[in-house]
Amino acid sequence: MKHIFQQGTDQNKPTFMLLHGTGGTENDLLPVAGMIDDSASVLGVRGNITENGMPRFFKRLAEGVFDEEDLMKQTEELYGFIDTASAEHSFDRKNVVAVGYSNGANIAANLLFHYEEPVKGAVLFHPMVPRRGIQLPDLTGLPVFIGAGKNDPICRPEETEELAKMLEAAGAEVTLHWEDGGHQLTREEVEQAAAWYQRSVL
Ligand code: MLT
């Protein structure tokens, strides 16, 4: 997958796998990673799909309606890519924290829905429920931060709560942070994610 890797100054810190929103690139979340921990390594990934010229991580049939077959295919590819990238760039495969926004948060959530310990932790900014009606793997103790907007028209609050409950039922340690706003990613929620990272991941 198209990506950038930047080696952090502290080798013991996690590698942040950055997953952009629709229309983003592998560089979008670099400032966010820097705000969470500026000494960690970063692997910025670009989604394989383009929708009217906008990069995405998987196809959708309409706004908020996912192409499940493609979602599964792309999730498998991303999972395999973490292995390949860790060998190529010599980072610890077991010390990867996913940081995703919107479409990127949705594929990160789907990784959690299908693999046991696909990552060490996950920051999901404005995620949706990627799939329903499936049995989640055992996620006991896996730290997950969810940033959500009370007025987010794309990721509605009920869906955010549903996702948090599904992850918790699988054993994940979910921290849910609410903003008053909509779908945009705010400085405040990144600061909350940074505090969560200090408490729950390091
Ligand atoms: C998705 O397709 O993942 C969601 O609709 C969010 C987005 O628009 O990127």
Side-chain angles (χ1 to χ4, degrees), residues 22 56 58 60 63-64 66 102-103 106 128 154:
T22 300
R56 284 178 54 83
F58 55 89
R60 60 180 165 184
E63 174 75 56
F66 302 161
S102 191
N103 181 245
N106 293 341
M128 296 166 68
I154 298 172

Side-chain angles (χ1 to χ4, degrees), residues 26 50 65 71 86 88 90 96 110 125 134 173 188 201:
E26 61 278 22
T50 52
V65 185
L71 171 61
S86 72
E88 186 185 340
S90 307
V96 175
N110 204 45
F125 292 121
I134 56 156
E173 306 273 347
E188 168 67 17
V201 178

